[in-house]
Amino acid sequence: MPVEDLWPPVSTVPVFVAEVKESIAKQGLMNPIIVVRLPREDLLTHFASRALATKGTGKPSTLPDTPVINAIYGGSNRLEAVKQLGYTHVDCVLIPDFEVAMEIQER
């Protein structure tokens, strides 16, 4: 997927990004980014039921204004690392909902 089409709902950790960036530069991306692809309204419903990154509004502060959102569930630091390395595209696993994404990440 194009990196510009991915939305990280959580902040990255600069020290970890640096480590991941070094690893990717040497070995390549070892694990794809887990992406939950949902219609915007479904994603808003998901965040409204949780206090994730909403700053009390029930809506993530950086949510893209597009009809479908590719929300990163696992890999925000990897996304930042590949951006810094100049990648324009990155391997992803597209998941239809957060429950399935949780199961995959646990495995």
Side-chain angles (χ1 to χ4, degrees):
M1 288 195 78
V3 296
E4 65 188 26
D5 291 350
L6 301 173
W7 175 66
V10 297
S11 299
T12 58
V13 179
V15 172
F16 189 55
V17 170
E19 291 175 18
V20 171
K21 181 179 169 184
E22 183 178 331
S23 172
I24 293 171
K26 289 180 182 177
Q27 301 174 12
L29 184 67
M30 303 301 287
N31 294 300
I33 294 173
I34 298 172
V35 175
V36 176
R37 182 183 181 106
L38 289 173
R40 180 182 177 78
E41 291 306 315
D42 291 353
L43 194 65
L44 287 170
T45 300
H46 171 78
F47 280 106
S49 67
R50 291 153 182 82
L52 279 174
T54 62
K55 298 184 180 178
T57 65
K59 176 180 170 185
S61 58
T62 61
L63 188 65
D65 191 21
T66 57
V68 176
I69 310 289
N70 297 309
I72 294 177
Y73 183 79
S76 294
N77 290 302
R78 281 176 276 158
L79 176 63
E80 181 59 28
V82 299
K83 282 181 176 179
Q84 290 180 16
L85 289 167
Y87 284 41
T88 59
H89 290 74
V90 66
D91 291 335
C92 297
V93 175
L94 297 177
I95 308 298
D97 61 56
F98 285 96
E99 289 75 26
V100 173
M102 284 188 285
E103 288 178 25
I104 289 171
Q105 192 172 39
E106 287 176 7
R107 292 182 187 165

